[in-house]
Amino acid sequence: MKEQIKAALANLEPQLKRVSKLIHDAENDAIYSSEEPEELYLRNMFYRVGEDLDKARRYIRQVSARISSEGTISKLSDGRYGNERVYYTSGSSIEFLYSDPDGDDRWIYSSVEHNGVDYYIVVKPELSLNGLRVRVKDLPFWD
């Protein structure tokens, strides 16, 4: 079943790309009238749909990408976190191994930000990055 879902997502991604490109091209071709409320509504709604389609495409790529390395990260001399393979700064995507209160381990996808004092993981800000187990995936270039 998991492989069927991955295959279905892989088949969906090119269709999402096509619609996203249509929305982007419409914006670049200035097809909307700036004087018509309905036109401005459509422009705004298409823009929002395009953003969400791009987000869905990123998630599909993340799920489908090959794991290239796995290891722990630590605080480096410059105050950032990383290891010999990866370096995390504000806005970086991260996949980390989390042990929930029931003792189940799961990989979680999130991003890293800085709060003025230290770096943190957006979905688990209380979790220390020092000694955290992470994995890196080979993501294709965005097109």
Side-chain angles (χ1 to χ4, degrees), residues 7 15 22 26 30 37 39 42 45-46 64 69 79 89 91 94 96-97 105 112 115 117 119-120 125 127 141:
Q15 295 172 48
L22 285 171
E39 291 282 312
L42 287 174
M45 291 304 289
F46 289 161
S64 304
S69 70
T89 61
I94 188 169
F96 63 97
L97 190 61
D105 290 341
V112 173
N115 62 13
V117 177
Y119 289 92
Y120 67 95
L127 191 64
F141 289 109

Side-chain angles (χ1 to χ4, degrees), residues 53-125:
L53 291 177
D54 287 342
K55 185 186 292 186
R57 288 182 64 213
R58 281 193 296 278
Y59 289 156
I60 290 169
R61 286 170 174 231
Q62 189 72 32
V63 165
S64 304
R66 184 183 71 81
I67 299 167
S68 60
S69 70
E70 190 178 313
T72 58
I73 57 173
S74 59
K75 195 166 194 173
L76 305 173
S77 61
D78 64 1
R80 294 182 176 143
Y81 291 84
N83 57 30
E84 63 282 344
R85 175 67 169 95
V86 66
Y87 191 76
Y88 294 97
T89 61
S90 291
S92 297
S93 295
I94 188 169
E95 281 193 1
F96 63 97
L97 190 61
Y98 176 71
S99 295
D100 68 23
D102 295 329
D104 294 326
D105 290 341
R106 69 186 75 229
W107 287 101
I108 297 180
Y109 174 78
S110 187
S111 61
V112 173
E113 292 297 338
H114 198 278
N115 62 13
V117 177
D118 202 4
Y119 289 92
Y120 67 95
I121 297 174
V122 172
V123 298
K124 295 283 182 194

